[in-house]
Amino acid sequence: MPATSANLGPGFDAFGLALSLYDELTVTPGGSGVTVEVVGSGAGEVALDESHLVVRAIRAGLESLGAVVPGFRLRCENRIPHGRGLGSSSAAIVGGIAAAYGLTGTPLDRDRVVELANEIEGHPDNVAAAALGGFTIAWTDGETGRAIRLEPEAGLAAIAYVPGTRVLTREARGLLPAAVPHGDAAANAGRAALLVAALTSRPELLMTATEDRLHQAYREPAMPESLALVHKLRGSGLPAVVSGAGPTVLVLTVASEEVRVLPLGSSDVSGGLAAAPDGWERYELGIEPLGVQVWSGSQPVERE
């Protein structure tokens, strides 16, 4: 299951991008209980029983398929940082549902995966990208999660600045106002439309297209260092945004571009890419084209 970045600036709760950083699940049926092993991110912190998010997603997937698997062993190899705005919970949910398809030998129905994952996650932006790969636009039709996948511009890539501290999604959402000025809403609608073009065919427009007035500034109290880094990178001409609910900062670029890595405090930032602040990690990521992948034994489980 790939990491994902949602919003991408103006596409609040709608846009998602699948990234080449992956968690892996191994589910082995047998017995009557559940055994959970977690290595990597979240090890020693998450539940190791039926309340584990992946286990709950597997159960939801099995119920949807009308199947029963009384017991199984689950091993989670987590590389996506938890609580950083890179879709770790969405990866867990999508992976668990997809695993249910593998356990039952059912061809993977990605649209149905999005629907079920949205029921668990509560919003479809990250789960859509994890399920479908590439660049996705998600929405809800009543209570039902829907999404379409668009092909990103060739060479599109991302650089993620990941801090050592976490921000809970519910905390970040709690900072958003109940209403915003009409002018800000109109500006965001225009930038979101432009971002579709920028991500799929006109990457030279990414800087303008990633402008946001709807959510990032309101979340600054929860992640002041992240917003400071966004402003610094954008001041150097780079399309930087808060990834999802934060606090990770994402820079969108194309593989053919040459960028210089500069010290964070450098005064010469024109055309350069600042180094990560102390205590942060920097990931250079491609765009994951396929979304979640399921293998049962040695055979892929996929829709025709």
Side-chain angles (χ1 to χ4, degrees):
M1 309 88 67
T4 53
S5 182
N7 303 330
L8 309 177
F12 182 67
D13 273 5
F15 291 175
L17 199 62
L19 304 171
S20 60
L21 177 65
Y22 306 91
D23 285 352
E24 295 183 21
L25 307 177
T26 303
V27 186
T28 307
S32 58
V34 172
T35 301
V36 181
E37 178 187 4
V38 177
V39 296
S41 184
E45 302 176 2
V46 298
L48 301 178
D49 54 23
E50 288 279 352
S51 65
H52 190 281
L53 184 56
V54 173
V55 176
R56 289 191 281 124
I58 292 172
R59 296 296 191 201
L62 290 171
E63 181 180 359
S64 173
L65 293 167
V68 176
V69 178
F72 53 83
R73 297 194 308 275
L74 168 65
R75 175 180 169 84
C76 305
E77 298 182 42
N78 296 338
R79 302 177 186 88
I80 304 170
H82 282 200
R84 304 304 201 282
L86 286 171
S88 60
S89 64
S90 293
I93 293 167
V94 167
I97 295 169
Y101 279 82
L103 287 169
T104 59
T106 306
L108 189 61
D109 182 341
R110 294 177 184 270
D111 292 334
R112 182 60 178 149
V113 171
V114 171
E115 292 178 12
L116 290 172
N118 175 66
E119 292 176 7
I120 299 173
E121 178 77 332
H123 46 92
D125 46 5
N126 281 107
V127 299
L132 304 180
F135 167 49
T136 57
I137 304 174
W139 69 96
T140 54
D141 184 1
E143 298 296 323
T144 303
R146 306 288 191 198
I148 58 170
R149 180 193 182 281
L150 300 179
E151 188 65 30
E153 169 73 7
L156 185 70
I159 299 171
Y161 293 86
V162 183
T165 55
R166 301 179 181 182
V167 171
L168 297 177
T169 299
R170 63 176 177 271
E171 177 186 353
R173 282 184 174 271
L175 293 171
L176 299 179
V180 298
H182 188 277
D184 288 348
N188 252 62
R191 291 299 189 267
L194 185 63
L195 185 53
V196 174
L199 289 170
T200 57
S201 62
R202 297 289 301 277
E204 71 275 12
L205 297 174
L206 280 169
M207 185 66 188
T208 300
T210 50
E211 292 175 354
D212 165 70
R213 298 190 195 176
L214 198 61
H215 64 101
Q216 292 184 154
Y218 294 109
R219 290 169 161 171
E220 186 168 6
M223 55 191 94
E225 293 182 349
S226 297
L227 270 296
L229 183 56
V230 167
H231 295 322
K232 182 175 183 62
L233 292 168
R234 293 188 70 86
S236 67
L238 294 165
V241 297
V242 173
S243 180
T248 290
V249 173
L250 198 77
V251 175
L252 296 169
T253 183
V254 290
S256 61
E257 290 181 350
E258 294 184 5
V259 292
R260 297 173 293 130
V261 179
L262 303 171
L264 188 63
S266 174
S267 59
D268 175 22
V269 296
S270 177
L273 186 59
D278 290 342
W280 293 48
E281 293 185 87
R282 182 173 175 270
Y283 295 79
E284 296 186 10
L285 303 171
I287 308 306
E288 157 57 42
L290 301 177
V292 65
Q293 297 294 297
V294 186
W295 292 76
S296 182
S298 62
Q299 298 297 319
V301 177
E302 184 57 274
R303 179 177 57 184
E304 294 295 333

